[in-house]
Amino acid sequence: MGVHLSRRLGHVPWMGAILVIILCMVEVEPSLGKGVADNSSVTSSISRPKSVNIGALFTFNSVIGRAVKPAMSAAVDDINFNSSILQGTTINLIYSDTNCSGFVGTMEAIQLMEKDVAIAIGPQSSGIAHVISNVVNELHVPLLSLATDPTLSSLQYPYFLRAIQSDYFQMYAIADLIVYYGWTEVIAIFVDDDYGRNGISALGDALAKKRAKISYKAAFPPDASKNAINDLLVEVNLMESRIIIVHVNPDSGLTVFSVAKSLGMISDGYVWIATDWLSSVLDSKPVDPSTMDLLQGVLALRHHTAESDQKHAFMSRWKSLKNAGNSSINSYAFYAYDSVWLAAYALDSFLHQGGNLSFSSDLTINGSSLNLSNLRIFQGGQQLLQRLMGMKFTGLSGVIQFDSERNLIHPAVDILNIIGTGSNKIGYWSNYSGLSVVTPETLYLKPPNKSSSSQHLSSVIWPGQVTKIPRGWVFPNNGKPLQIVVPNRVGYKAFVSLDKDPPGVQGYCIDVFEAALKLLPYPVPHNYVLYGDGKRNPNFDNLVNDVANNKFDAAVGDITIITNRTRIVDFTQPYIESGLVVIAPVRKVKSSAWAFLKPFTVEMWIVTGSFFLLVGAAVWILEHRINSEFRGPPSQQLITIIWFSFSTMFFSHLKFAVVALLQLTGENTLSSLGRFVLLIWLFVVLIINSSYTASLTSILTVQQLSSRIEGIDSLKASNDPIGIQDGSFARDYLIRELNIAESRLISLKNQEAYADALARGPKNGGVAAIVDELPYIEVFLSFSNCNVQIVGQEFTKSGWGFAFQRDSPLAVDMSTAILQLSENGELQRIHDKWLTHSTCTSQSNQADDSRLSLSSFWGLFLICGVACFVALGIFFCRVCYQYSRYAPEIVSQDEIEPAEPVRTRGLSSASFKDLIGFIDRKEAEIKELFKRKNSNEGNQSHRSCSLDRESSSP
């Protein structure tokens, strides 16, 4: 029997051994009480029993125990006095004291199970809860526990129900606090038992989801002496982080703060966050001023209990309760009170549904029959467990209801700031909406919102009586300055170089770093260490790797921020923009005989010429019927269209163009639609003409430079050698990203090597072009004789930054300082001190930049085209209307003698040839025919009237 039970408790070996001993003792020990059961194999009750046993397993001489005992006693009295529940069955609460001992607690738990309890409440200890959960699983007794260990899973322990919120939620509240105040690393001080280890493990998981971490875990045994805690805190004080989480037992937790106070750790710069144990201590009894002095500025969490009249009424009668003594009420008392009522409601439902409080004395484990007369299996345990899980009521702590994972719904905590002689509630945390100054009960009525903008807390007074949010970290308190590695450059020493008088380093990068350090609100002791032999530029990838491998604390210099490096170190905000460019030798280009074509692109020339013809044709159509200048043989009309359309470009001003056109065609005969189209077209021509003149002037007056290499694409397509700076990341980039053969790359040390390689060219052992970062090229061009220039565009975008070890908080502060340098102009002044701008401008592409493309004028062409089509549409609509109304008579009069009768024909029978002939007629002829038609109609009407009068005469 003992072997089998030990195997079932294999995860707690010493507990298993204890249980074996106890079970052997139980077999010969007389029963202390059997409740409703007797010695028969199965005892059942036909009617409701007179009483039912409920067990309470706590350390009653503790902060939690002194609060839960009077609360549970009051709950039993209230239930037994209330006739509406259990209906004649009274609750018999059996207390068992674990006495703060794992051995004693386990022993008491086994003895409690001998007394045929239907439900057990407790324990508060996570270690004992693990053991007793195995026991209740075998005996089928539901366990309502106040242990907060998040690893007490309902899957492993099906009869375990947590009657209080798990530490899982408390740790996520702390993680949200860390993120809210902008910290990234914490130190965890905890008691080394199931409660402490598992709680801190949950904290680590919560922080990892927020991209934060526990940088140091400081554990001490449950019975640690004050000296041991002192040694532990001395180690903590040497760490970088100043955010300290304290997760310990209530009865020994104040010792931690007492030692921290003596070490000067409750002061400015430190942040102390205590879990719910501290609020339990402060709420349980009046605290003397000397104890409160230890806790000034500390943040503490407390299990949230909803405000209600029921809760306040219970608090008002606390002192009159039996067993209350001098203790004060805390959140555990509310949950203990509600646990008894939860048990009572479940038992009432269980009995109402016909359940029997029956126990079996035959205990079988792993197939072995155990004849234990004092340990019994509760036959209705599974049914009662289901009743417990389905309960829902409002108690002192709020709504009591379990979710699918057997946790109480609506987990929430109060966030307290210990200040003066008490605590100030600065807000709440709930799993529903995160941090808020509004009570969780109010937020439950609204949609959930965990966005960062909705997270709010009231102001805090931190240790040292400061209101400014602490930075959260300091340099390790070991007197060792930061080791800053600096590249020992061979070329471009304006950026960083060895300074012999006084000894040290100097340059643009160093001045930026020092200026940023001065803006930090704390001193940063540091030493510069040169990296490289001084004969060649160091490999910057190796330099960054040494920082990542903790050989150096940071790297300062012309270090480019690229993807591979950001994976292993943290960079600051870039302090100078950078990117790869191509420089190549250039030569002056004389103006071409066809330079007049360069102002416009090919597409622009084609579209412009097409619109000249389009507008000429539109004006010809609109003027053809009324203007004799637009009539004649087809060849003459075609010449007129071309001449008229292209002649408009030679009028410089709009008013002179209109006057010239009027002189050409005659003001009285020019159509309104033609004038409309022409005015818009002349406006377009005026803009195009002005733009063409300006562009041509720019092209002819700017000195043009040309190079056989036009950019990275043409350089990549060639087979010429390419120069790169020694130690630059450009080598790997050209090989890996652009697939350029490594044999084409030639490393160059300094500016002199650049100039020599470009001057010799690829045919004489030099290079066709050099690929390097823009800051270096700008310095190189400053000392060149303008025979080399940047060709093409910058084909990568990056910047230079200072490299720090991963998760170094100094990187964030330095980034802020660099932004301040940029805003106040200091960054530009440092740039002007060390780096001069090139007097040569890159003009090789300015001719192309001055060319005008269609994209700049498509709006004008669109307006002109729409105007032409609108005018032509109106014209053709008017002609068609005339043709449909008057064409039959006009055609008939033209084909036969006017005296002959005219045969009418509709528009549907008119041929296309007739329509074209009608359109080709002069407007004057059409009007003359209209007059003749109207006259004939009048004469016919007159003759008809005469004949009618004659016929009517006698």
Side-chain angles (χ1 to χ4, degrees):
M1 176 272 295
V3 173
H4 290 300
L5 186 56
S6 177
R7 288 177 180 172
R8 295 296 298 266
L9 302 177
H11 70 290
V12 190
W14 66 272
M15 288 293 185
I18 293 173
L19 285 177
V20 172
I21 298 173
I22 294 172
L23 289 174
C24 293
M25 296 171 59
V26 167
E27 290 179 346
V28 298
E29 186 175 313
S31 173
L32 297 178
K34 298 183 176 58
V36 298
D38 55 20
N39 290 331
S40 62
S41 62
V42 177
T43 303
S44 62
S45 60
I46 299 176
S47 60
R48 282 181 176 256
K50 292 183 179 180
S51 66
V52 57
N53 292 341
I54 294 179
L57 190 66
F58 290 94
T59 300
F60 294 110
N61 188 24
S62 65
V63 170
I64 295 177
R66 285 188 290 269
V68 300
K69 188 171 184 179
M72 296 177 70
S73 298
V76 171
D77 293 341
D78 292 344
I79 292 169
N80 291 336
F81 182 76
N82 191 336
S83 60
S84 64
I85 189 171
L86 289 177
Q87 299 177 358
T89 300
T90 60
I91 290 180
N92 179 28
L93 188 62
I94 303 174
Y95 297 102
S96 292
D97 196 338
T98 61
N99 203 24
C100 287
S101 170
F103 178 80
V104 175
T106 304
M107 193 171 176
E108 289 290 332
I110 297 297
Q111 291 180 348
L112 180 64
M113 293 298 104
E114 296 175 10
K115 300 174 183 179
D116 295 335
V117 295
I119 297 175
I121 301 177
Q124 70 203 62
S125 169
S126 298
I128 300 176
H130 277 281
V131 177
I132 195 63
S133 294
N134 286 281
V135 176
V136 298
N137 283 352
E138 298 297 336
L139 301 181
H140 298 179
V141 177
L143 177 66
L144 298 177
S145 177
L146 297 188
T148 58
D149 182 357
T151 63
L152 287 165
S153 169
S154 59
L155 296 178
Q156 182 182 4
Y157 306 118
Y159 282 85
F160 174 87
L161 285 177
R162 197 191 311 274
I164 197 171
Q165 299 296 349
S166 169
D167 280 341
Y168 172 88
F169 302 107
Q170 185 174 205
M171 297 308 171
Y172 270 79
I174 293 177
D176 282 351
L177 274 175
I178 299 303
V179 174
Y180 178 78
Y181 289 114
W183 303 315
T184 57
E185 294 186 8
V186 303
I187 294 175
I189 299 176
F190 59 98
V191 61
D192 193 9
D193 59 9
D194 290 339
Y195 163 76
R197 286 191 302 270
N198 297 330
I200 294 303
S201 177
L203 175 62
D205 295 340
L207 289 173
K209 293 182 179 180
K210 305 292 184 179
R211 302 190 67 181
K213 68 177 184 178
I214 301 175
S215 60
Y216 183 70
K217 294 182 179 181
F220 61 86
D223 57 349
S225 63
K226 191 172 183 177
N227 290 335
I229 295 177
N230 182 85
D231 295 339
L232 186 69
L233 291 182
V234 169
E235 294 181 10
V236 169
N237 205 29
L238 295 176
M239 299 295 108
E240 188 176 80
S241 177
R242 284 294 181 263
I243 313 300
I244 304 173
I245 312 299
V246 184
H247 185 56
V248 297
N249 293 321
D251 298 282
S252 59
L254 291 179
T255 306
V256 175
F257 285 99
S258 176
V259 175
K261 181 71 173 180
S262 65
L263 294 176
M265 297 174 66
I266 313 293
S267 59
D268 186 12
Y270 290 85
V271 175
W272 291 84
I273 302 177
T275 53
D276 68 286
W277 68 267
L278 181 56
S279 60
S280 299
V281 172
L282 299 181
D283 293 341
S284 297
K285 61 180 180 180
V287 184
D288 58 89
S290 60
T291 300
M292 294 302 297
D293 185 57
L294 304 175
L295 305 173
Q296 295 300 300
V298 173
L299 294 184
L301 304 185
R302 179 172 61 195
H303 290 290
H304 176 73
T305 55
E307 298 297 327
S308 64
D309 295 338
Q310 181 184 1
K311 173 182 172 181
H312 290 290
F314 181 77
M315 294 174 64
S316 64
R317 67 186 181 106
W318 175 262
K319 291 299 182 181
S320 62
L321 299 179
K322 63 181 179 180
N323 301 320
N326 296 325
S327 63
S328 298
I329 196 170
N330 60 30
S331 59
Y332 282 87
F334 300 133
Y335 284 104
Y337 183 90
D338 290 343
S339 298
V340 178
W341 273 95
L342 174 62
Y345 281 125
L347 284 168
D348 185 60
S349 176
F350 171 77
L351 295 174
H352 182 72
Q353 296 296 326
N356 293 323
L357 296 174
S358 58
F359 295 84
S360 172
S361 61
D362 291 334
L363 184 63
T364 302
I365 300 178
N366 290 340
S368 297
S369 179
L370 300 177
N371 185 20
L372 301 177
S373 60
N374 296 318
L375 285 179
R376 304 171 185 273
I377 298 175
F378 181 23
Q379 299 290 74
Q382 181 63 33
Q383 183 183 357
L384 180 57
L385 177 64
Q386 297 302 320
R387 294 289 177 270
L388 285 168
M389 293 170 56
M391 288 295 106
K392 180 181 180 181
F393 68 96
T394 301
L396 300 184
S397 59
V399 177
I400 302 298
Q401 183 182 1
F402 293 99
D403 60 17
S404 58
E405 297 181 355
R406 302 188 184 182
N407 291 315
L408 291 177
I409 64 172
H410 299 328
V413 296
D414 300 337
I415 304 174
L416 311 177
N417 180 206
I418 312 301
I419 193 69
T421 58
S423 60
N424 179 32
K425 187 184 296 182
I426 63 171
Y428 308 88
W429 178 91
S430 68
N431 195 42
Y432 188 76
S433 295
L435 300 172
S436 175
V437 294
V438 181
T439 60
E441 289 73 28
T442 302
L443 297 176
Y444 294 149
L445 304 176
K446 302 177 181 179
N449 184 6
K450 287 189 176 182
S451 63
S452 57
S453 60
S454 66
Q455 306 297 292
H456 300 290
L457 290 175
S458 300
S459 58
V460 177
I461 298 179
W462 304 97
Q465 302 296 312
V466 297
T467 57
K468 182 180 179 181
I469 299 175
R471 185 174 66 251
W473 67 276
V474 295
F475 290 103
N477 191 19
N478 53 16
K480 182 182 178 181
L482 292 181
Q483 300 300 303
I484 309 294
V485 62
V486 177
N488 189 6
R489 295 195 56 86
V490 176
Y492 297 104
K493 294 188 176 183
F495 294 104
V496 61
S497 63
L498 177 65
D499 186 11
K500 297 182 179 179
D501 187 23
V505 289
Q506 63 178 358
Y508 167 73
C509 301
I510 302 300
D511 281 7
V512 173
F513 183 74
E514 292 290 343
L517 288 181
K518 292 179 181 179
L519 295 179
L520 300 183
Y522 48 87
V524 182
H526 60 281
N527 294 328
Y528 292 113
V529 180
L530 287 173
Y531 190 89
D533 56 10
K535 299 178 181 179
R536 294 185 57 184
N537 291 331
N539 186 295
F540 282 74
D541 287 335
N542 294 337
L543 183 149
V544 173
N545 284 328
D546 285 347
V547 174
N549 294 329
N550 298 327
K551 292 183 179 179
F552 304 100
D553 297 302
V556 173
D558 45 337
I559 305 171
T560 306
I561 303 172
I562 58 177
T563 303
N564 291 338
R565 295 173 184 173
T566 58
R567 293 192 179 105
I568 57 177
V569 296
D570 284 347
F571 280 96
T572 63
Q573 174 80 14
Y575 58 88
I576 187 173
E577 293 184 357
S578 180
L580 292 178
V581 294
V582 179
I583 58 170
V586 294
R587 59 185 179 85
K588 295 182 180 180
V589 179
K590 294 182 179 180
S591 180
S592 170
W594 301 97
F596 68 92
L597 295 175
K598 290 184 178 180
F600 289 164
T601 61
V602 175
E603 294 82 0
M604 184 66 181
W605 279 118
I606 293 174
V607 173
T608 303
S610 300
F611 264 83
F612 271 109
L613 297 177
L614 174 64
V615 173
V619 172
W620 177 84
I621 292 173
L622 297 173
E623 296 292 326
H624 178 70
R625 305 183 76 195
I626 62 177
N627 194 331
S628 60
E629 296 292 337
F630 289 89
R631 302 185 66 83
S635 59
Q636 180 182 347
Q637 295 183 46
L638 179 62
I639 294 174
T640 301
I641 292 173
I642 297 174
W643 177 85
F644 174 81
S645 60
F646 283 97
S647 65
T648 56
M649 79 167 63
F650 300 106
F651 296 104
S652 301
H653 300 286
L654 189 61
K655 63 180 182 180
F656 294 120
V658 175
V659 172
L661 184 63
L662 294 179
Q663 291 176 352
L664 174 67
T665 61
E667 181 177 5
N668 295 327
T669 59
L670 186 64
S671 68
S672 299
L673 293 176
R675 291 176 179 177
F676 169 70
V677 172
L678 188 60
L679 285 174
I680 293 180
W681 173 241
L682 289 176
F683 175 72
V684 174
V685 170
L686 177 65
I687 294 178
I688 293 177
N689 199 8
S690 302
S691 302
Y692 174 87
T693 303
S695 179
L696 182 61
T697 303
S698 174
I699 292 173
L700 295 178
T701 56
V702 173
Q703 181 186 15
Q704 299 179 37
L705 305 174
S706 70
S707 170
R708 184 172 58 86
I709 304 298
E710 298 179 352
I712 187 61
D713 292 332
S714 61
L715 182 62
K716 177 183 176 182
S718 70
N719 292 319
D720 295 333
I722 303 171
I724 58 171
Q725 185 179 172
D726 192 18
S728 171
F729 80 97
R731 171 181 290 274
D732 289 340
Y733 180 85
L734 295 177
I735 294 173
R736 296 177 183 176
E737 302 295 332
L738 301 183
N739 298 319
I740 295 177
E742 187 175 2
S743 58
R744 293 178 58 190
L745 304 181
I746 299 176
S747 296
L748 304 173
K749 293 183 178 180
N750 49 36
Q751 297 97 310
E752 292 77 12
Y754 278 27
D756 179 67
L758 289 172
R760 287 188 286 119
K763 296 182 180 180
N764 298 316
V767 296
I770 292 176
V771 175
D772 205 351
E773 295 182 75
L774 185 59
Y776 301 121
I777 298 305
E778 289 179 344
V779 173
F780 174 70
L781 293 178
S782 299
F783 297 98
S784 69
N785 55 3
C786 296
N787 58 353
V788 295
Q789 291 294 337
I790 298 175
V791 292
Q793 301 295 322
E794 187 176 358
F795 58 93
T796 66
K797 291 290 185 181
S798 58
W800 291 355
F802 305 130
F804 291 86
Q805 295 177 5
R806 293 290 285 178
D807 300 322
S808 172
L810 188 59
V812 177
D813 290 351
M814 287 294 289
S815 294
T816 303
I818 290 172
L819 290 176
Q820 293 178 5
L821 291 176
S822 177
E823 292 170 359
N824 61 25
E826 182 64 22
L827 201 59
Q828 184 61 44
R829 286 190 288 270
I830 298 174
H831 182 278
D832 296 340
K833 172 185 175 182
W834 288 97
L835 309 176
T836 56
H837 291 286
S838 171
T839 56
C840 304
T841 57
S842 178
Q843 299 170 340
S844 59
N845 295 317
Q846 286 193 6
D848 292 337
D849 295 339
S850 299
R851 302 186 71 183
L852 301 174
S853 65
L854 181 61
S855 60
S856 302
F857 298 94
W858 71 268
L860 286 173
F861 288 125
L862 177 63
I863 295 173
C864 184
V866 170
C868 290
F869 283 109
V870 169
L872 291 174
I874 295 174
F875 171 78
F876 282 114
C877 288
R878 186 177 65 183
V879 170
C880 290
Y881 173 76
Q882 292 176 350
Y883 182 76
S884 64
R885 185 174 182 181
Y886 301 110
E889 292 79 3
I890 294 175
V891 174
S892 297
Q893 292 176 6
D894 187 51
E895 292 177 351
I896 60 176
E897 291 298 328
E900 297 180 359
V902 179
R903 184 176 56 180
T904 304
R905 58 179 178 176
L907 181 61
S908 58
S909 63
S911 66
F912 181 73
K913 183 178 180 181
D914 293 338
L915 176 62
I916 297 300
F918 180 79
I919 296 174
D920 190 56
R921 288 177 178 271
K922 290 184 178 181
E923 187 76 16
E925 295 178 2
I926 298 300
K927 291 181 179 180
E928 181 63 25
L929 292 175
F930 287 169
K931 292 179 180 179
R932 291 168 56 185
K933 174 180 176 292
N934 293 333
S935 176
N936 291 335
E937 290 177 350
N939 293 334
Q940 291 178 0
S941 176
H942 179 72
R943 287 197 298 270
S944 298
C945 291
S946 299
L947 292 174
D948 291 341
R949 286 194 299 268
E950 291 176 358
S951 61
S952 61
S953 308

